[in-house]
Amino acid sequence: MTPAESAYYELGRRDRKKLETRAALEHAALTLVAERGLAGVTVEDIAEAVDLSSRTFFNYFPSKEDALVGASPASAAELRERLEAVPAEVPVLEALRLMSRVEAERVQQQREQWLLRLKVFEQNPSLLPRLVANGTETERAVSAAVARRAGVALDTSGYPELATAVAMAAFRAAMMRWSAADGRPALADLVDEAFSQLAAGLPNP
């Protein structure tokens, strides 16, 4: 049993039901938009697909776009804590790789859902600004953890912000390769490869 599965079964019945409902709405939204396009799907369509009311839909998501974006596998706080758990003597780039690899393994556990989500994003570029906005809080939290690890202040040297931005870009590039290859090889392996190229100074291939 994975850590995510263990955490799921530790929840009470009511909370598990909420997670299941949320996941069902996300999947219905992604499936319908992949089939019909963003303009061809309404909140009512999504709710009806899982036999729920529109009112229930809005208990989980403010809009159909939010259902498509869904929730990140890890929150900003989780990523920060994961980075801070890496021993202090580990260099920043390697610590960011370890943090990103765990995230990649969590995405891999939801392979079909994430491949569908990435397909929908590719087909509907208007969703990208929302995705970027959702990542701002995460990037700031990770930058703060990098700053503490490096012993510098945020918004001074620029190092924490740059290191975090580069790590996030490496993760996104690995995700795009993973999506293009239909989820093979494992996303964690592609993340490792991306960080290896960064560590080598991005030499010409």
Side-chain angles (χ1 to χ4, degrees):
M1 183 178 294
T2 67
E5 289 170 335
S6 297
Y8 172 80
Y9 286 111
E10 287 173 4
L11 294 171
R13 182 177 180 182
R14 180 186 175 98
D15 289 332
R16 288 201 303 269
K17 180 62 177 175
K18 286 181 177 180
L19 286 177
E20 290 167 1
T21 301
R22 183 183 180 91
L25 287 168
E26 284 184 21
H27 185 72
L30 290 165
T31 301
L32 290 171
V33 171
E35 293 172 352
R36 306 180 192 174
L38 186 61
V41 177
T42 65
V43 165
E44 289 74 17
D45 294 330
I46 297 167
E48 184 179 348
V50 291
D51 197 25
L52 294 172
S53 68
S54 301
R55 181 176 180 179
T56 301
F57 175 94
F58 288 116
N59 289 337
Y60 290 88
F61 300 103
S63 69
K64 67 179 180 183
E65 289 81 5
D66 288 294
L68 294 168
V69 171
S72 172
S75 67
E78 285 176 308
L79 288 176
R80 184 191 66 239
E81 290 169 3
R82 194 181 300 156
L83 183 59
E84 291 175 341
V86 178
E89 64 271 17
V90 176
V92 166
L93 188 61
E94 175 63 8
L96 287 167
R97 183 191 71 80
L98 293 171
M99 178 198 76
S100 299
R101 183 178 174 86
V102 174
E103 185 72 354
E105 290 168 349
R106 294 181 69 174
V107 170
Q108 187 79 41
Q109 291 169 8
Q110 301 174 18
R111 176 179 176 273
E112 297 305 321
Q113 184 93 333
W114 271 98
L115 289 175
L116 183 58
R117 178 173 283 120
L118 292 170
K119 176 184 177 182
V120 167
F121 291 165
E122 183 179 351
Q123 293 174 341
N124 301 275
S126 62
L127 292 170
L128 294 177
R130 186 179 294 264
L131 192 63
V132 170
N134 283 2
T136 300
E137 178 188 355
T138 298
E139 192 160 332
R140 187 71 178 175
V142 174
S143 292
V146 169
R148 286 190 289 274
R149 173 174 290 270
V152 298
L154 281 174
D155 304 318
T156 55
S157 69
Y159 176 82
E161 295 86 353
L162 179 59
T164 301
V166 168
M168 298 292 186
F171 189 87
R172 285 193 295 269
M175 285 274 283
M176 292 304 101
R177 286 185 64 197
W178 182 70
S179 175
D182 197 29
R184 298 180 182 82
L187 178 56
D189 292 340
L190 295 177
V191 166
D192 283 344
E193 185 177 328
F195 274 85
S196 292
Q197 293 181 62
L198 289 178
L202 284 180
N204 290 337

